[in-house]
Amino acid sequence: MGSGPVGSGPVGSGAVGSGAVGSGRVSSNGALAPEESGPAPAEPRKPKIGDTRPGSPPLPKRKPRTREGVGASRASGTAGPQGEDATGRSGSRPRRRSRGAGAVAEGAAASDGLSPATTGAGVTGATAGASATGTPVAPWGRAPAGTAGGTVSTEGPGQRAPTLELGEPLGQGRSRRGERRNRPLGRYLMVVHVGPTATQIAVLEGRTLIEHYVSRPADDTTQIDGNIYLGRVQNVLPGMEAAFVDIGTPKNAVLYRGDLRYDEDEVGPAGEDDSKPTRGHLGGAARDARIEQLLRTGQSIICQVTKNPIGTKGARLTQEVSLPGRFVVLIPESETYGISKRLTDDERRRLRKILDDVKPAGHGLIVRTAADGASAEELERDVARLLRQWDNVQELAKTSRAPQLLYREPDLAVRVIREEFNRDYRGVVIDDPNLHAQVKEYVSSITPELADRVELVDPAAEPLPLFERFRVHEQVHKALDRKVWLPSGGSLIIERTEALTVIDVNTGKNVGTSNLEETVFRNNLEAADEIARQLRLRDIGGIIVIDFIDMEIPANRGEVIRTFREALARDKTRTQVFDISELGLVEMTRKRISEGLVESYSETCPTCGGRGIVFDESLLG
């Protein structure tokens, strides 16, 4: 062993684990003896991310083992190329039993006269990948269809492992691509519960709740985002560069100058003595026009709600009307033309060629991310349906008096399905027959191949309510709490105020193992992922300030921000994140469209008025 190269034999107490292994040899006393032409000692490296000891180099990466000869003869278990057996290991080494979830019961294999190497046991852990011969490996740890062998058992998180008995052809549980036991596969699941007072929609990723929506019948005056109205201008405020518009809701909506549409031929610039507007993105002759030149009291305008009324604030309006469809968004009487940036360049080029044929004259189009893989017929059908909707809006506007609702967004369940439902969803489970029929009809009209994934559950036939069956109630209760526990024992404290939302990160029960910097760094990484999930689940919008635990190493601070931005990328709501400030705070914004999850489940306390305190009236008298 004294003259063998490092790594080819068992090394006792040598310096292999410290990253100081070069091209030397191990002497008889276990010390490294450099060769005659060995390289010079490496200079101390700069500390890497997570390395809390300045100047200490990181541990060397372990070279992954490759598997060869997986496709060797299974009838006799003969060796593969270069004298290796079918598991890819050298014939001179004893075969070790696989400790992964895809291990094969050796007793069952031996009774059939086959070695474990020929029953698909060579694929462990990463069963969703491909074998060394390029043959795709089926999920659940099964070998490709047609391979005989013993019992194969693979367990996912919280799942019961299916078993295959001897003589059963492998792959029998998969009838079509993307299905298992005749059920579609997918990363997400949508659960819709219709109650006597509200409809709740839960979106699950695996078994984890990531989004939750609540819709009540009374929301016709509060949940109006996307509705189109014929409104009447109540008053124009030049000092605010805004106008209040009556759309039939309890509070007048506000229309800012930057959201106006105009005709350059009818609007001229303001005079030289008039003050110029400070906000707005109007162009042409109306760039310098003031809002009182564009609107007048009593005028009827077609407008669309872009933000629901929240608290004491009314809804926000725009005259840039848009009609969202499944694959495209129609912008009437506009030249807007665009494709989602989330699509690949090849897909964008393909869709651009299709849009040249289906784009209607005089109207703009924006292609959504859901159009990935959509055919020309699907896009054309979607555009034609949106054009019919706009024609109905115009006809109703001509015969109506303001204020009047011209177009109402569909039920919340249909809206969420329109925005979210795609091939990544394994299904939509609904416990109401009427809503199920409506959703089924909508999905059949836009994506017929996904219509069979809309499932109706009879509450009378199920032993558990729908939300208890999928553990939604339990996760909603946790989402309403101000304190969130992290896996390592740390915690988050989420406090909402009128101006902003504050999130405090604490180590809590997390005491770490090495030193304070490492403990804080790992705790902040967990907090970054969890904060992004909580913002999406609780639908927190507006200004958000996060107080991460202070870190001394700049590389660690940069890694936490990078992890946080990557986690926020999964959120479809627009966000903006700034770097960690000198005080250790992260400032960010998230677009607010409606009230959050906590507000959907609560109402203001009549005793304290929402302050959380009660005054002693005897001392105030």
Side-chain angles (χ1 to χ4, degrees):
M1 183 181 70
S3 60
V6 175
S8 63
V11 180
S13 58
V16 178
S18 63
V21 178
S23 59
R25 300 177 180 272
V26 179
S27 63
S28 58
N29 59 358
L32 274 175
E35 292 183 346
E36 297 179 359
S37 60
E43 296 181 358
R45 301 181 182 178
K46 295 182 179 180
K48 299 292 184 178
I49 294 175
D51 186 9
T52 59
R53 297 172 299 172
S56 61
L59 295 178
K61 295 183 179 180
R62 181 175 298 177
K63 182 178 181 181
R65 292 185 301 179
T66 58
R67 301 187 181 275
E68 300 179 0
V70 176
S73 172
R74 58 182 171 87
S76 59
T78 56
Q82 300 178 358
E84 296 182 348
D85 59 8
T87 62
R89 301 185 179 93
S90 174
S92 61
R93 297 184 182 180
R95 183 185 298 113
R96 294 183 299 176
R97 293 185 60 184
S98 174
R99 293 176 294 179
V104 176
E106 293 184 1
S111 63
D112 197 30
L114 299 178
S115 65
T118 62
T119 59
V123 182
T124 61
T127 56
S131 63
T133 59
T135 305
V137 180
W140 297 97
R142 298 178 180 176
T147 304
T151 301
V152 180
S153 175
T154 304
E155 295 186 3
Q159 298 174 339
R160 179 180 300 173
T163 58
L164 298 180
E165 300 299 332
L166 287 174
E168 178 184 355
L170 301 184
Q172 184 177 0
R174 295 176 55 84
S175 59
R176 295 192 300 269
R177 183 180 180 183
E179 294 189 0
R180 180 179 62 83
R181 298 188 184 278
N182 297 327
R183 295 185 63 85
L185 296 176
R187 183 178 182 181
Y188 304 101
L189 176 68
M190 191 177 300
V191 183
V192 183
H193 168 59
V194 179
T197 59
T199 299
Q200 301 185 54
I201 303 167
V203 179
L204 302 173
E205 182 177 2
R207 295 190 175 188
T208 303
L209 181 65
I210 59 174
E211 291 183 6
H212 192 83
Y213 306 91
V214 180
S215 175
R216 296 183 178 88
D219 288 347
D220 290 340
T221 58
T222 57
Q223 299 295 325
I224 56 177
D225 177 39
N227 290 357
I228 301 176
Y229 293 88
L230 179 64
R232 179 186 293 110
V233 179
Q234 290 292 96
N235 52 350
V236 181
L237 304 177
M240 298 295 295
E241 296 186 17
F244 287 99
V245 182
D246 180 15
I247 58 175
T249 55
K251 295 181 180 180
N252 290 334
V254 60
L255 175 64
Y256 288 98
R257 178 185 176 276
D259 298 320
L260 289 173
R261 300 190 69 169
Y262 65 97
D263 188 347
E264 294 183 4
D265 298 332
E266 297 180 359
V267 179
E272 296 182 359
D273 298 335
D274 297 334
S275 60
K276 300 296 188 293
T278 57
R279 297 185 182 182
H281 306 286
L282 301 179
R287 182 178 299 276
D288 296 332
R290 296 178 57 82
I291 189 170
E292 61 266 26
Q293 297 178 269
L294 305 176
L295 293 178
R296 65 180 185 277
T297 302
Q299 179 181 352
S300 296
I301 57 174
I302 296 178
C303 50
Q304 186 175 29
V305 177
T306 59
K307 187 177 180 180
N308 288 322
I310 301 176
T312 59
K313 300 178 181 179
R316 183 166 178 175
L317 302 177
T318 181
Q319 283 191 289
E320 190 77 19
V321 177
S322 61
L323 291 174
R326 178 70 180 105
F327 304 112
V328 299
V329 177
L330 177 68
I331 304 178
E333 302 174 2
S334 173
E335 298 298 327
T336 304
Y337 184 79
I339 301 177
S340 172
K341 296 180 180 180
R342 295 187 178 184
L343 297 174
T344 61
D345 293 339
D346 294 339
E347 184 66 13
R348 288 166 59 88
R349 285 192 291 267
R350 185 188 71 87
L351 292 173
R352 192 172 296 277
K353 294 179 181 179
I354 298 178
L355 286 186
D356 292 339
D357 299 329
V358 301
K359 183 178 182 297
H363 301 295
L365 278 182
I366 297 178
V367 181
R368 315 185 70 175
T369 309
D372 187 10
S375 63
E377 292 76 12
E378 291 176 325
L379 293 174
E380 185 176 0
R381 186 166 58 247
D382 202 23
V383 171
R385 183 173 59 87
L386 296 177
L387 286 175
R388 289 193 299 268
Q389 289 183 1
W390 175 242
D391 292 339
N392 295 336
V393 168
Q394 287 184 310
E395 291 297 328
L396 184 58
K398 294 177 182 178
T399 58
S400 302
R401 295 183 58 184
Q404 175 65 42
L405 175 64
L406 303 179
Y407 167 79
R408 182 194 300 273
E409 279 283 89
D411 291 340
L412 181 62
V414 179
R415 274 182 285 165
V416 174
I417 289 175
R418 181 188 66 196
E419 304 294 330
E420 301 281 345
F421 190 49
N422 53 34
R423 293 172 179 84
D424 293 333
Y425 280 78
R426 59 183 180 270
V428 178
V429 184
I430 307 174
D431 61 0
D432 182 72
N434 296 330
L435 183 60
H436 172 265
Q438 181 182 358
V439 172
K440 186 92 170 181
E441 179 183 1
Y442 178 78
V443 175
S444 300
S445 63
I446 59 173
T447 316
E449 64 271 15
L450 299 181
D452 57 346
R453 303 192 183 188
V454 181
E455 177 184 352
L456 174 63
V457 174
D458 186 6
E462 287 293 330
L464 289 176
L466 198 59
F467 271 18
E468 292 186 14
R469 173 183 167 189
F470 293 98
R471 298 175 58 245
V472 175
H473 274 154
E474 173 187 344
Q475 300 184 64
V476 169
H477 278 286
K478 293 181 180 180
L480 297 176
D481 196 357
R482 62 188 291 268
K483 190 171 187 178
V484 180
W485 289 101
L486 300 176
S488 64
S491 64
L492 306 175
I493 303 296
I494 302 176
E495 293 286 357
R496 170 185 167 273
T497 67
E498 183 70 21
L500 49 83
T501 300
V502 182
I503 302 178
D504 184 30
V505 182
N506 300 315
T507 54
K509 302 176 182 179
N510 183 12
V511 296
T513 57
S514 57
N515 55 52
L516 178 60
E517 177 72 15
E518 179 71 13
T519 302
V520 168
F521 173 60
R522 298 301 174 188
N523 192 89
N524 284 340
L525 286 180
E526 286 186 354
D529 283 327
E530 186 62 27
I531 290 173
R533 174 179 170 267
Q534 291 295 327
L535 293 179
R536 183 178 179 186
L537 173 58
R538 301 178 184 226
D539 197 14
I540 299 175
I543 301 175
I544 303 166
V545 177
I546 306 170
D547 183 13
F548 283 106
I549 307 175
D550 293 339
M551 294 169 286
E552 298 296 333
I553 300 179
N556 290 349
R557 294 197 293 268
E559 178 67 10
V560 169
I561 286 296
R562 186 189 64 81
T563 302
F564 186 44
R565 289 194 173 109
E566 288 181 355
L568 287 174
R570 297 190 291 267
D571 189 356
K572 65 180 181 298
T573 304
R574 186 172 68 248
T575 58
Q576 185 179 13
V577 182
F578 297 92
D579 292 335
I580 299 179
S581 67
E582 295 296 330
L583 295 177
L585 304 177
V586 173
E587 301 172 3
M588 65 167 294
T589 60
R590 186 175 185 269
K591 184 179 180 181
R592 176 183 291 175
I593 299 177
S594 60
E595 60 181 1
L597 180 67
V598 175
E599 290 74 18
S600 300
Y601 277 91
S602 62
E603 59 183 14
T604 303
C605 175
T607 302
C608 67
R611 300 183 66 180
I613 56 177
V614 179
F615 291 100
D616 189 351
E617 298 293 340
S618 63
L619 299 178
L620 297 174

